[in-house]
Amino acid sequence: MANIPKKARTVLRRAIITGLATVLVAAGGTAFAEIVSSQPSTAPSFNGPVYAVAHAGDTVYVGGNFTSASAGGRTVARTRLAAFDARTGALHEWKPVADANVRALAVDAGVVYAAGDFDTINGEARDAVAGINATDGTVTPLKHSVLGQPNAIAAGHGRVYLGGRITGVDGQPRSNLAAFTAATGALDTWAPTTDDTVNALAVTGDRVYLGGSFHKTNGVRSTLRLAAVDPATGVLDKTFLPKPVSQVFALAAHPDGVYAALGGLGGRAVSYTRDGQARWTRVFDGDAQAITQLDDVIYVGGHFDKACTTTNNGTRGICTDGSVVRGKLAAVDREGNLLDWAPQANGVAGTRQLAASPRLGAVSAVGDFTMVGGVSRKRYVTFSGVAPRLEKAAIGDVAAYNFDTTISDGTFDDGSGHGHLLRTVSRYGGAPTMIPHGDGQALRFPAKCGVGGGQCPRLILQAEDTPDLNPGTKPLRYGAGVLLSPAETGRGENILQKGYATSGGQYKLQVDGLSGKPSCGIGSGTAVHVARSRTSVADGKWHSLECRRNGPSLAILVDDRLEAVTAVPADLTIDSAEPFTVGGKGVGQNNDQFHGTLDDVWVQIG
């Protein structure tokens, strides 16, 4: 988040923390994630298979092999393409007509791009690929002759990328991949090659990921079934070397790599790093055909009925070490834990494609199912419940400090509006140093000095005790922006703390040891429960740290990524008469002095 303006970072962080936080006990362990409801939302139904889905703003676009759609008790003609309101399920008047299957959709800059088996759209010649105005349903100038069957379409970098089993476009040779210039619709020179079918495409800032049943990309043998190419030149990225064990049906890119849905002996969902290493694998008893990500949760769809509790399966994909029921839909956290989300869809083919909308906090699934979660949902279903990013104001902040403003006596203002001013308490000459950060300033604490630190400068910031800062058993979140170099770490450094475990309870955020790994702690009585990050933040870069207590768990997040979760008693109460401190627990000999730089310190309760 270092390059995001300071005020924008604060808005983003506050939007993120207003999400619906759910603690889930999973087959693979305990997981902490913000997840959609397993109960379907209101949505239209379709009288034939739906193969493709895409979100754009508050609108959902679908494509398939249906001829009518039903919503609100009304059935209307919709020939293989339809659009509707994502929030209410009400059908829009957008109704272009395709004369055969629509297999893939992408939306970009007011245009819906479609690929499939069709020869015409609205009666006008459009062979296998078309651009359709997202508002009125008229076709754009994108018009080509495609030899073969497209399976995937994606937009980005001013291009529309096409993948499938393709041998030519407009008489020019293409080996399963092609691209068109979005502005004009002209055939682009981008033309990497594969020796077999491409099923999936995912576009990022520097790559186009390809997934399918191919063995070679651009003639290179080490690119079996999954590869990455340059989005402008099509040159193979040889630093990405995954080894998927079976055909890739779907992809979902993320900043650290790509998620893949695989078929084969049973199905698999796999998380790959940017160099192609597998972080984790989840195994199912049938093909995984769809995958998408919303916040820290990866949603998987396919024609499986069960998820295996280990990575082992046998004949016909049957789980050999135990399984749990997951009918056509499942969810996994970013650490690979199978989550307790199980809407249960029916059908044989099951889920064919998934799409997520961060704007709406929702996930859509399409396929051949007719029942989901025990209710009628014919071939389309949507699940909501995650708080939309950047659409809600923060609620529940009881203290917030960005160190950009002070009042006349030099204390730091409380941006939450609750008036919990921070005053400086120092010893041996400890004093705050203000440094520029983003469009404001941050606060640097005294540097390390001497062995044992006998009379080294000490500094803390302190707010008076108030009931506002005591969460009791309520949900609790708190965090800070931290800049720490390897030379600034110590035995233990407090970032913020309220209370003591033996005196009404406490919550704290600190950095542990010379390795610079942060931890969250809460406790009452003789026990302190700690969630410790596996990742050091002592690298001279800004990091956002967050602690979350919700009922029976405590989690730590670094840069919005879940690092660790620990169990805590659900009835653990924090009600302390001690002051709230930042930078240390006091100015005595063993005050756990923080030696780095802090910004955006905050506490949220409820």
Side-chain angles (χ1 to χ4, degrees), residues 165-188:
R165 184 182 289 273
I166 302 166
T167 58
V169 177
D170 298 338
Q172 297 190 38
R174 289 291 187 273
S175 296
N176 304 310
L177 292 159
F180 310 97
T181 303
T184 64
L187 181 64
D188 196 84

Side-chain angles (χ1 to χ4, degrees), residues 287-300:
D287 288 347
Q289 302 173 144
I291 197 162
T292 194
Q293 180 187 8
L294 179 61
D295 292 334
D296 285 331
V297 179
I298 298 89
Y299 298 87
V300 186

